[in-house]
């Protein structure tokens, strides 16, 4: 363990397709190779015991869908200067892939996900908590485009999932975590004023350490 290693951990939460990844990528552009990025989506639980049709029916927007303890363990390892073996999750098959990805720590660690503020232990590992706040209709359109074009889903299944689990889980679990945010970013990941504020805050903390 490197006792001198003291990375900044930034959590970026918000509803589905709110622009979390866009914000994270824009921050990464500023700091280039000083950023390690981790997505909560990589930590969906594996359900090889279920058939594909059974896996399609699972609620992937509930906190119980994630192996959050593994993510907590991995963030703690990264904070200690250790590399991790991050799982890779396939949204096409709803399974983890056999191969993992080696991820090593850096000066700044960004975690993004819809429910990363829901777990107190995970939340307490973060130095800066950002909530990306985007209108529900815009988020739905983005999700519909993403899931049909990028993940091979049909329109009916995306709409049914949104109405049956995504929206109810957002209202119950995601939206209430906004109160834990240090910074709320309206209008998604392209908010240049908010992006500048976050970047300046990161620079300030880096200079202090």
């Amino acid at each position: 363990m490197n006792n001198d290693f003291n990375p900044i951990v930034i959590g970026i939460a918000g509803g589905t397709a709110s622009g979390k990844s866009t914000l994270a990528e824009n921050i990464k552009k500023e700091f280039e190779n000083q950023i390690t990025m981790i997505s909560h989506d990589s930590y969906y639980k594996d359900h090889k015991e279920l058939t594909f049709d059974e896996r399609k029916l699972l609620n992937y927007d509930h906190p119980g869908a994630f192996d959050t303890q593994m993510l907590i363990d991995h963030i703690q390892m990264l904070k200690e200067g250790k590399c991790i073996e991050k799982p890779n999750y396939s949204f096409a098959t709803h399974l983890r892939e056999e191969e993992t990805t080696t991820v090593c720590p850096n000066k700044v660690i960004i975690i993004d996900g819809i429910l990363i503020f829901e777990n107190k232990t995970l939340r307490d590992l973060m130095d800066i908590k950002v909530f990306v706040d985007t209108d529900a209709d815009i988020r739905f359109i983005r999700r519909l485009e993403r899931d049909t074009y990028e993940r091979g889903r049909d329109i009916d299944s995306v709409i049914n999932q949104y109405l049956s689990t995504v929206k109810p889980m957002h209202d119950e679990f995601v939206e209430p975590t906004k109160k834990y945010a240090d910074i709320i970013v309206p209008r998604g990941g392209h908010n240049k004023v908010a992006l500048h504020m976050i970047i300046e805050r990161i620079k300030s903390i880096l200079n202090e350490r």
Side-chain angles (χ1 to χ4, degrees):
M1 176 177 164
N2 183 356
N3 292 322
D4 296 326
F5 194 74
N6 189 21
I8 301 168
V9 179
I10 302 168
I12 301 179
T16 180
S18 57
K20 300 180 297 298
S21 297
T22 300
L23 181 63
E25 288 293 339
N26 285 336
I27 295 171
K28 185 176 181 181
K29 289 176 185 176
E30 181 71 23
F31 295 94
E32 297 180 349
N33 60 351
Q34 298 182 80
I35 297 265
T36 291
M37 295 179 64
I38 300 287
S39 176
H40 202 188
D41 284 359
S42 298
Y43 292 81
Y44 273 115
K45 291 178 179 176
D46 203 17
H47 289 286
K48 286 188 173 68
E49 76 281 4
L50 302 179
T51 66
F52 176 69
D53 287 337
E54 289 172 331
R55 292 195 299 272
K56 286 196 299 183
L57 298 176
L58 294 175
N59 183 352
Y60 290 98
D61 294 273
H62 188 278
F66 297 89
D67 189 348
T68 300
Q69 186 57 54
M70 178 187 283
L71 175 59
I72 291 168
D73 293 342
H74 281 182
I75 297 302
Q76 288 173 332
M77 290 173 66
L78 290 169
K79 284 171 70 74
E80 293 170 359
K82 302 173 183 175
C83 296
I84 63 166
E85 291 300 319
K86 181 185 69 66
N88 295 315
Y89 187 82
S90 169
F91 289 94
T93 63
H94 302 295
L95 287 172
R96 283 186 190 169
E97 298 174 357
E98 293 298 326
E99 293 186 0
T100 58
T101 299
T102 301
V103 176
C104 292
N106 227 313
K107 292 181 179 180
V108 180
I109 299 168
I110 294 179
I111 316 165
D112 81 84
I114 61 173
L115 289 165
I116 58 171
F117 295 166
E118 188 272 337
N119 184 288
K120 184 180 185 304
T121 304
L122 179 59
R123 200 166 66 233
D124 288 346
L125 293 173
M126 303 171 193
D127 298 290
I128 302 173
K129 294 179 288 295
V130 180
F131 191 96
V132 182
D133 198 15
T134 304
D135 289 344
D137 53 352
I138 294 174
R139 291 190 292 103
F140 170 71
I141 293 168
R142 287 177 180 171
R143 183 184 177 100
L144 184 65
E145 291 176 340
R146 181 197 68 193
D147 285 3
T148 52
Y149 293 124
E150 297 179 19
R151 297 179 179 177
R153 303 266 307 278
D154 64 81
I155 293 175
D156 286 343
S157 73
V158 176
I159 293 173
N160 289 336
Q161 184 184 39
Y162 183 83
L163 293 175
S164 63
T165 61
V166 176
K167 187 181 186 305
M169 294 299 98
H170 176 89
D171 293 342
E172 184 175 355
F173 294 109
V174 181
E175 189 68 22
T177 67
K178 188 191 297 185
K179 65 186 177 185
Y180 299 118
D182 303 305
I183 302 169
I184 295 176
V185 178
R187 303 186 307 280
H190 294 289
N191 187 324
K192 292 182 179 180
V193 174
L195 174 64
H196 178 73
M197 289 173 59
I198 295 167
I199 287 171
E200 289 305 309
R201 179 57 183 152
I202 295 170
K203 289 179 178 178
S204 175
I205 295 175
L206 285 173
N207 289 334
E208 292 169 2
R209 295 187 174 182

